[in-house]
Structure formats: structure tokens, C-alpha cells
Amino acid sequence: MKELKKYDFEKGIAYTLKEVPEDIGNIGRGLNWKEYVNNEPIAYLKIINENTMHFYWYGFYNKKTKKIECKETNFQQESKTKEIILKKCSP
């Protein structure tokens, strides 16, 4: 991912996919990654405080079909909210 745009008013950063990942895993082998490399946002990170961030996954924008794909995330959390809550672990 590469930073696309900062939103200082809420300490947020939008990210885009700028190159094909080196480690695509088993599921990623079946994807046409070149169609996903563009300037459309794929994720957003909002810093709540020094210990908490909210991660929003949008999915990959396919420049050929002009649709967002791979919207699902594999994060498991107790709440059913749209954001994925990331908390800093204690050492």
C-alpha cells in the first residue's frame, strides 16, 4: 500500500495499491493484480489515540471492470462494526 491522501481533520490516511505485492498467498495467486494497481483508495486508517486505530477496508478497485472487488476481510473481532479496531499491545 502507498499513502494516497491525509485527512488531518480526523488524523486519517487513505491508501492505494501501487504495486503487486511480493507475497500474494494462496488466494492471491488467482487474482489479476495488474488490474488492481491504480490510484483508487483500498483502505483507510484513522488514528483515534496513541493506543487505538480504526482500519476500514474498502477492497480493490478493478480498473478493467470499474468495480470494487475483494471487499471481505479476514479480521476476526467481537463487534460487528464496519471498522476494524486495532489496539496497541502491552510489552
Side-chain angles (χ1 to χ4, degrees), residues 1 27 42-44 54-60 68-86:
M1 291 192 315
I27 295 172
I42 63 169
Y44 187 75
H54 290 180
F55 180 81
Y56 301 86
W57 175 254
Y58 302 142
F60 295 121
I68 297 174
E69 300 174 357
C70 304
K71 297 179 193 178
E72 311 83 37
T73 63
N74 290 329
F75 286 96
Q76 294 179 357
Q77 60 182 17
E78 294 176 11
S79 69
K80 298 291 183 192
T81 59
K82 186 175 181 179
E83 72 268 358
I84 298 161
I85 301 167
L86 303 174

Side-chain angles (χ1 to χ4, degrees), residues 23-70:
D23 183 8
I24 57 175
N26 288 333
I27 295 172
R29 286 189 182 98
L31 300 176
N32 189 349
W33 287 98
K34 291 182 182 180
E35 293 177 4
Y36 299 138
V37 176
N38 55 60
N39 285 325
E40 294 296 321
I42 63 169
Y44 187 75
L45 185 67
K46 181 178 175 182
I47 300 168
I48 305 303
N49 58 43
E50 65 183 38
N51 295 316
T52 306
M53 294 184 283
H54 290 180
F55 180 81
Y56 301 86
W57 175 254
Y58 302 142
F60 295 121
Y61 179 78
N62 185 319
K63 60 188 174 188
K64 185 177 180 181
T65 65
K66 300 192 183 331
K67 293 183 180 180
I68 297 174
E69 300 174 357
C70 304

